[in-house]
């Protein structure tokens, strides 16, 4: 319960400082991907509150479903963009884009998976281990910022 | 402000918050939740100051310094930060003092923020595709 509440604070902590253009450059995300993330967070937090208050009795996997779907959609979208760039002979930018998005998406996915398993008591790893993909991710994003600016 | 200082600022406070959060969740410390959220308080305060300064400059000179943000965007950001702060305060209160506070009340500011955010992002979506 506590974990997930905090995850959200983290997710939107940077949103207010950057313009949409800067966020696009930095995160390498299109507006469409950001929009998917915002909507999935909204759905996730509603389901989370319902579960927290004991109104629905779903497993954590169901609660995290919106986030998994969003990650999957983003991955799908990234692949589509890669194919488009490849067809248009923009190999370099296509490969760079899919490497960055793929890395970040993979880290997010590992984090969600670990958090879910931990909340379901399927593993007994410590919270710091669960959060390790996030630690890696913010450094990856830091390096990316150096690259784009 | 250029991109790099903003990114470094975000990175620094996020890292600090993640470390404190990991310590607290693993029961290595028993610090108050308000202290765990300290990096985020400072970060939000800085962001709020930057936005307010930009609004003041906008009003005094009549246009944005870099012509990249409209007045409504800035006001929207300030409201967004306010909602986020409210959410964090409610979350801390719930975690630290009032364990029986209904989660719906805690989440309402976040929901409002995300709802406005996703609505705001949609016109861009239409324009792009």
């Amino acid at each position: 319960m506590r974990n997930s509440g905090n995850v959200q604070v983290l997710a939107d902590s940077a949103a207010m400082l950057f313009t949409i253009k800067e966020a696009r450059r930095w995160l390498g995300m299109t507006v469409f991907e950001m929009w998917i993330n915002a909507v999935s967070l909204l759905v996730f937090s509603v389901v989370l509150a319902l579960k927290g208050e004991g109104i629905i009795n779903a497993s954590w996997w169901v609660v995290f479903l919106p986030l998994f779907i969003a990650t999957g959609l983003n991955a799908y979208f990234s692949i589509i963009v890669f194919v488009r760039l490849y067809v248009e002979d923009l190999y370099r930018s296509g490969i760079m884009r899919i490497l960055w998005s793929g890395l970040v998406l993979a880290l997010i996915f590992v984090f969600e998976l670990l958090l879910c398993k931990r909340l379901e008591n399927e593993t007994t790893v410590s919270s710091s281990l669960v959060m390790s993909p996030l630690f890696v991710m913010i450094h990856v994003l830091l390096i990316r910022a150096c690259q784009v600016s | 402000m250029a991109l790099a200082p903003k990114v470094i600022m975000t990175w620094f406070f996020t890292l600090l918050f993640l470390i404190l959060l990991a310590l607290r969740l693993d029961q290595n410390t028993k610090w108050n939740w308000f202290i765990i959220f300290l990096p985020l308080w400072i970060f939000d305060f800085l962001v709020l100051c930057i936005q307010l300064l930009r609004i003041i400059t906008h009003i005094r000179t009549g246009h944005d310094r870099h012509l990249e943000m409209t007045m409504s965007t800035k006001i929207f950001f300030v409201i967004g930060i306010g909602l986020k702060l409210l959410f964090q305060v409610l979350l801390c209160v719930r975690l630290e003092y009032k364990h029986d506070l209904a989660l719906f009340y805690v989440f309402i500011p976040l929901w409002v923020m995300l709802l406005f955010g996703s609505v705001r992002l949609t016109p861009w979506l239409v324009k792009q595709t």
Side-chain angles (χ1 to χ4, degrees):
Chain A
M1 184 69 255
R2 287 179 175 190
N3 289 20
S4 356
N6 290 314
V7 175
Q8 293 187 356
V9 183
L10 201 72
D12 54 42
S13 69
M16 293 301 150
L17 182 59
F18 301 92
T19 60
I20 292 177
K21 216 161 128 193
E22 282 172 339
R24 263 168 59 192
R25 252 175 65 208
W26 178 29
L27 303 174
M29 267 181 171
T30 57
V31 178
F32 179 65
E33 287 165 289
M34 287 185 232
W35 182 74
I36 287 184
N37 283 331
V39 172
S40 73
L41 261 182
L42 186 63
V43 177
F44 167 71
S45 60
V46 172
V47 184
L48 181 69
L50 287 173
K51 179 170 167 81
E53 288 296 311
I55 293 175
I56 54 168
N57 192 19
S59 79
W60 282 106
W61 295 105
V62 178
V63 177
F64 274 77
L65 201 61
L67 295 183
F68 284 122
I69 290 175
T71 313
L73 277 178
N74 280 344
Y76 175 70
F77 185 74
S78 292
I79 291 170
I80 298 284
V81 171
F82 172 68
V83 170
R84 284 284 295 273
L85 287 171
Y86 189 82
V87 167
E88 286 168 23
D89 287 340
L90 297 162
Y91 304 115
R92 199 186 136 77
S93 53
I95 288 169
M96 283 311 273
R97 191 187 188 284
I98 199 148
L99 280 180
W100 281 114
S101 322
L103 186 58
V104 171
L105 284 174
L107 287 168
I108 292 175
F109 178 70
V110 171
F111 169 65
E112 284 163 2
L113 200 69
L114 279 173
L115 185 58
C116 221
K117 279 181 103 66
R118 160 84 200 246
L119 289 168
E120 282 280 324
N121 285 324
E122 286 176 20
T123 60
T124 51
V125 292
S126 66
S127 306
S128 25
L129 201 65
V130 172
M131 280 158 66
S132 57
L134 288 184
F135 282 106
V136 178
M137 193 179 81
I138 58 172
H139 289 96
V140 167
L141 289 178
L142 184 72
I143 295 164
R144 196 186 144 80
C146 301
Q147 202 211 12
V148 294
S149 62
Chain B
M1 252 218 266
L3 186 61
K6 285 199 259 188
V7 169
I8 290 171
M9 191 173 114
T10 314
W11 165 79
F12 177 72
F13 287 111
T14 314
L15 184 64
L16 219 58
F17 173 64
L18 281 178
I19 292 171
L20 285 173
L21 187 64
L23 285 174
R24 182 68 169 80
L25 287 173
D26 282 341
Q27 312 283 320
N28 288 329
T29 62
K30 287 277 172 206
W31 290 348
N32 192 305
W33 276 101
F34 281 96
I35 296 174
I36 305 296
F37 274 72
L38 194 65
L40 291 187
W41 304 134
I42 300 172
F43 181 67
D44 286 338
F45 177 71
L46 288 174
V47 175
L48 200 62
C49 285
I50 292 169
Q51 288 300 341
L52 286 177
L53 272 176
R54 294 187 78 162
I55 287 181
I56 292 168
T57 333
H58 193 142
I59 291 169
R60 285 180 63 154
T61 59
H63 61 84
D64 189 85
R65 202 149 55 102
H66 305 295
L67 299 172
E68 53 186 14
M69 270 192 199
T70 57
M71 196 61 176
S72 65
T73 315
K74 281 179 245 187
I75 290 171
F76 174 78
F77 274 5
V78 170
I79 295 170
I81 298 163
L83 286 170
K84 180 179 167 253
L85 277 172
L86 191 62
F87 170 63
Q88 284 168 203
V89 170
L90 283 170
L91 192 65
C92 283
V93 167
R94 149 108 197 186
L95 291 171
E96 190 69 40
Y97 303 112
K98 280 183 74 74
H99 300 295
D100 55 343
L101 183 68
L103 272 175
F104 300 113
Y105 298 130
V106 177
F107 276 118
I108 283 172
L110 186 81
W111 289 336
V112 174
M113 190 180 117
L114 283 175
L115 209 63
F116 275 104
S118 35
V119 170
R120 251 195 89 84
L121 282 173
T122 328
W124 279 79
L125 180 79
V126 177
K127 213 189 280 176
Q128 256 200 344
T129 48

